Amino acid sequence: MTVKKKPKGAARARARSPRPADAPVRVIVLAAGVGSRMRSSLPKVLHRVGGRPLLDAVLDTAERLSPAETVVVLGAARARVETAIEGRPVRVALQDPPLGTGDAVRCGLELLDASDGPILVLSGDVPLLRPETLAELVRKRGAEDLDLAFLSFRPPDPGAFGRVVRDSRGRVRSIVESKNATPRESKIAEVNAGVYCFRAEALRRCIAAIRKNPLTDEFYLTDAIELIARAGGGVEAVEIPDWREAWGINTRRDLAAAEEIERRRSVERALDSGVTVLDPATVRIGPHVEIAPDAVLHPFVCLEGRTRIGEGCEVFPFTRIADSQVDAGAAVGPHCDVEGARIGPRSRVGPYSRLRPGTVLEEGVRIGNFVETKNAVLGRGTKALHLAYLGDAEIGADVNIGAGVITCNYDGENKNRTEIGEGAFVGSDSQLVAPVTVGKGAYVGAGSTITKNVPDGALAISREGQKNIEGWAARRKSKKAH
């Protein structure tokens, strides 16, 4: 009879807790730090890189893994951060008082159920990590059935990062904080990125076993590496090929460096997808922006939020477009500000135009210099080329809006709508006092104030009759002479 030996080390851990490698990952994001080195009243994780808060960047990346659960651990600034992530599919744990990363993970674990499977621990101030890197970390842990896989990297200057200590066989034994490192350990180039993927059971054991550091009175999650290694568990570092991904934000200098890395990444993505970027050093493209091939971006263009730029569009210098759609063949001129708007195919906007939320320009619309629109729909071929305000308006196709036209939409209490029919002509320096309708093919004489509906095909004029006083100028000059 064959007697089976009792499994040891990592094999013993695996025997206790078999689990399919493809079990859904659960995520704990550590975001309780005060960030005192930022010298700011704003919580560190709400500072922005690439147009979005650091914590949003981390959560966006984590969501690409389709996690079963996500818990965000917050601290003293809970109220402000919780408001900022409202609507996301996450739960919030509170760490108060702050007692280190090990304690923060303990707080997060309390909100997760007791099931097994991988648990991914992320820092809320590492915004440049790519989903592919996290997916590889999770895959590595599962494929090799490890108790822990964590990310490491080799920056040009290891500085204050924790060193990854290996034995003579190359096995990970511990992470040593830089301030505690020996001269020999300080020379280690491989450092800890602070991103971990644990087997759930192994994480729970470690959190229970981690002891408070006698110098700082805090619990350090990095102690888990040594605990697992000493017990014979499976632990391995997964090195990030591009060290910049692990860039953590602790100071304003870190923030500026991360901003430049993210900016360059976004420009490179655009170039690789067939976009012409005339001055890559000055263009900024947000992480959620989509740009079709053959679009052209001029210097100092800023594309933010969930903006979509269609094929063959051209965006000229010093223009900002946020959370908007620009359809194929459209052009947005210099010095424009576009937010929450849709610009139809082959439309022309600018220079010096402002399109506010709710603006919809249909095909071939022309918006010129110093024209502002808000919550307004402009039909195909309509043009407003100079110095106009069009708010809360429904404007049909092929309408001409003259210089200085204003839709007077606010009566002090309510916003009211103006409707202008297809083919109408509104003369310069006219005010349309809403609610009011100008019918199809109707004309409004220049300098008119329209308070009543204008029927289809009618001409509306409300200015007073002109009066000429003969000889008035000469008499005025004569009086001045005396």
Side-chain angles (χ1 to χ4, degrees):
M1 182 176 68
T2 301
V3 178
K4 294 184 179 179
K5 294 183 179 180
K6 186 176 181 180
K8 295 182 179 180
R12 182 185 300 133
R14 289 192 290 272
R16 281 198 303 266
S17 183
R19 182 72 180 181
D22 60 351
V25 68
R26 290 172 292 167
V27 177
I28 297 175
V29 180
L30 308 184
V34 176
S36 57
R37 283 185 284 172
M38 296 293 290
R39 299 182 181 275
S40 173
S41 61
L42 185 70
K44 179 171 71 171
V45 294
L46 296 186
H47 285 268
R48 292 176 176 267
V49 165
R52 57 180 170 170
L54 305 181
L55 183 54
D56 271 355
V58 174
L59 291 174
D60 285 346
T61 301
E63 286 175 8
R64 293 281 295 277
L65 302 181
S66 300
E69 295 180 271
T70 299
V71 173
V72 179
V73 182
L74 302 179
R78 173 177 180 171
R80 294 184 70 178
V81 179
E82 202 167 12
T83 299
I85 61 175
E86 187 176 356
R88 281 189 174 272
V90 302
R91 287 188 289 169
V92 172
L94 179 63
Q95 185 193 29
D96 188 19
L99 294 174
T101 52
D103 180 66
V105 171
R106 178 191 60 78
C107 295
L109 275 174
E110 290 177 354
L111 292 188
L112 297 179
D113 62 40
S115 62
D116 206 351
I119 295 179
L120 191 63
V121 179
L122 307 175
S123 296
D125 59 1
V126 183
L128 301 178
L129 281 172
R130 298 180 306 120
E132 296 83 356
T133 300
L134 293 185
E136 174 59 19
L137 179 68
V138 174
R139 186 205 66 77
K140 175 85 170 179
R141 192 220 65 83
E144 299 189 13
D145 206 14
L146 300 169
D147 288 314
L148 167 63
F150 66 96
L151 292 181
S152 67
F153 65 111
R154 297 176 187 268
D157 178 10
F161 293 105
R163 307 308 199 267
V164 178
V165 178
R166 297 178 181 268
D167 63 18
S168 59
R169 296 172 59 183
R171 297 175 300 184
V172 175
R173 308 313 297 169
S174 65
I175 292 175
V176 177
E177 299 300 326
S178 62
K179 59 186 176 184
N180 299 325
T182 65
R184 183 178 179 180
E185 290 168 339
S186 295
K187 295 179 181 179
I188 296 173
E190 185 182 16
V191 301
N192 176 36
V195 178
Y196 312 86
C197 186
F198 287 90
R199 183 197 307 276
E201 182 184 352
L203 178 57
R204 294 188 187 98
R205 290 199 310 270
C206 288
I207 292 301
I210 290 174
R211 295 293 174 255
K212 184 180 292 187
N213 185 288
L215 298 178
T216 63
D217 285 336
E218 293 186 346
F219 299 87
Y220 293 133
L221 185 60
T222 48
D223 290 350
I225 285 81
E226 187 171 1
L227 288 171
I228 292 173
R230 282 185 176 179
V235 55
E236 188 53 87
V238 178
E239 188 171 333
I240 306 173
D242 183 353
W243 63 269
R244 297 174 300 174
E245 283 193 55
W247 194 278
I249 308 301
N250 291 302
T251 67
R252 300 279 185 163
R253 291 190 179 195
D254 294 337
L255 193 69
E259 178 69 33
E260 179 56 25
I261 293 169
E262 179 61 30
R263 188 200 64 76
R264 185 65 203 184
R265 271 186 183 178
S266 65
V267 169
E268 289 172 354
R269 284 195 299 269
L271 294 169
D272 292 342
S273 66
V275 177
T276 296
V277 182
L278 297 180
D279 185 5
T282 62
V283 169
R284 278 173 161 69
I285 304 170
H288 298 304
V289 172
E290 300 177 21
I291 312 176
D294 292 324
V296 178
L297 305 182
H298 286 251
F300 296 100
V301 164
C302 184
L303 306 179
E304 301 176 356
R306 298 190 178 274
T307 289
R308 298 173 62 187
I309 305 295
E311 185 174 355
C313 290
E314 191 161 8
V315 184
F316 287 84
F318 297 100
T319 284
R320 168 184 173 265
I321 303 177
D323 295 311
S324 298
Q325 180 169 328
V326 184
D327 291 334
V332 184
H335 299 279
C336 291
D337 189 83
V338 179
E339 183 173 359
R342 179 169 183 175
I343 299 173
R346 291 168 292 283
S347 290
R348 295 290 182 268
V349 175
Y352 297 100
S353 300
R354 186 182 183 198
L355 308 187
R356 292 168 58 192
T359 293
V360 176
L361 310 184
E362 296 183 357
E363 183 177 358
V365 172
R366 295 174 60 193
I367 297 293
N369 49 285
F370 303 105
V371 174
E372 179 180 353
T373 63
K374 189 271 295 179
N375 196 25
V377 178
L378 280 69
R380 176 184 52 80
T382 286
K383 55 186 178 181
L385 298 180
H386 322 279
L387 302 159
Y389 171 70
L390 306 173
D392 296 291
E394 186 83 28
I395 302 173
D398 299 316
V399 171
N400 182 88
I401 303 294
V405 169
I406 298 172
T407 58
C408 304
N409 55 327
Y410 185 51
D411 62 10
E413 294 182 1
N414 301 303
K415 296 291 184 70
N416 301 296
R417 292 192 67 78
T418 296
E419 296 184 9
I420 302 176
E422 178 180 347
F425 182 100
V426 182
S428 298
D429 196 29
S430 294
Q431 299 84 47
L432 308 179
V433 182
V436 72
T437 297
V438 177
K440 292 182 180 180
Y443 277 67
V444 173
S448 295
T449 299
I450 303 301
T451 59
K452 299 178 181 179
N453 292 344
V454 181
D456 293 353
L459 169 64
I461 303 175
S462 68
R463 58 180 181 259
E464 292 185 5
Q466 182 172 322
K467 180 180 180 181
N468 297 331
I469 303 175
E470 297 291 340
W472 179 89
R475 290 194 295 274
R476 182 173 183 270
K477 290 178 181 179
S478 177
K479 288 180 181 179
K480 281 189 175 182
H482 293 87

